[in-house]
Amino acid sequence: MRVAVLTSGGGTNLQALLDACRPPQPASIVLVASDKPAAGALARAEAAGVSTHVITDPTDGKAIVDALQDAAVDLVVLAGYLKLVPADVVRAYDGQMINIHPALLPAFGGTGMYGIRVHRAVLEAGATVSGVTVHLVNEEFDKGKPLAQWPVPVNDGDVPETLAARALEVEHQLLPVVVLAAARHGKPVRLRSSMKAFAGADAPDLDKTLRGP
Ligand code: GRF
């Protein structure tokens, strides 16, 4: 499966994918695109020998589709991509585009809910558990069908940064699991997790506990 990653930031999730999607795995990262020319993610892609593309106008869906089609992409992964994906891109990759969000959607998602703001909102709400969601992308922020979710405990004394760091560790495990499952099935599939395996563990072994569709 040929995978493109769209990202706006440092790209630690991209790095997790670059590390996981290597031969003999059935997925490979063939394109990394960013709306931010200085994004650390582009440097990570270059270091890995992966083609890069700068999205000069994030509202220009045709240009984005052209770049994805030129790279013969089968799956599009939004990993810290902060712009709304234009409707024509969503239509062109219907059921073939996923996003990772650092909370248990549908809670703490939607417009303006990204990055540290998510974790601040979780703590302000007094939630005792947060998590990570990977979901299909539709035309609204964070509203597509969830494919995989994993809980992250909220600890006493947490500040947004500590909760973000704990969630990010899980993101780095969950996203490759979902991408490799998609590659094995030829399209993104829903995975079910075992809550029992989570008990007492901050960073569970997702390979052992996520079961296929
Ligand atoms: C992650 O928390 C991701 O879930 C969110 O933005 C952050 C990106 O981090 N959408 P990175 O660029 O992958 O390091």
Side-chain angles (χ1 to χ4, degrees):
M1 178 170 271
R2 295 173 63 82
V3 180
V5 179
L6 269 57
T7 172
S8 301
T12 63
N13 278 294
L14 165 68
Q15 191 64 54
L17 289 174
L18 290 168
D19 293 345
C21 298
R22 290 188 169 158
Q25 296 296 344
S28 71
I29 312 303
V30 298
L31 180 69
V32 174
S34 180
D35 58 309
K36 299 263 191 319
L42 293 178
R44 290 178 191 272
E46 279 158 20
V50 174
S51 299
T52 60
H53 173 78
V54 174
I55 299 170
T56 47
D57 178 1
T59 66
D60 183 352
K62 184 178 180 309
I64 296 173
V65 171
D66 285 349
L68 296 170
Q69 288 182 345
D70 285 351
V73 161
D74 305 305
L75 175 72
V76 181
V77 178
L78 308 185
Y81 186 65
L82 298 179
K83 296 287 182 353
L84 189 66
V85 176
D88 39 352
V89 184
V90 175
R91 274 195 297 274
Y93 288 90
D94 184 29
Q96 298 167 267
M97 190 181 320
I98 63 176
N99 178 51
I100 186 158
H101 183 79
L104 291 178
L105 293 174
F108 306 108
T111 306
M113 199 59 96
Y114 59 86
I116 207 72
R117 297 173 182 211
V118 176
H119 306 290
R120 193 176 297 128
V122 168
L123 294 177
E124 281 173 6
T128 58
V129 65
S130 188
V132 174
T133 301
V134 180
H135 62 93
L136 287 172
V137 173
N138 66 13
E139 290 172 27
E140 288 177 276
F141 274 119
D142 302 329
K143 289 281 172 61
K145 178 182 155 195
L147 298 175
Q149 295 189 295
W150 200 264
V152 173
V154 176
N155 292 346
D156 289 345
D158 261 345
V159 293
E161 289 75 14
T162 55
L163 180 56
R166 196 175 305 119
L168 198 57
E169 278 185 43
V170 172
E171 291 180 53
H172 295 163
Q173 296 179 69
L174 191 63
L175 189 55
V177 167
V178 175
V179 168
L180 291 174
R184 283 193 291 272
H185 289 87
K187 62 174 186 181
V189 290
R190 191 161 187 266
L191 301 173
R192 290 164 290 156
S193 61
S194 159
M195 292 294 287
K196 273 189 196 160
F198 164 69
D202 278 8
D205 182 341
L206 294 163
D207 277 334
K208 281 196 186 140
T209 52
L210 278 174
R211 293 173 293 133

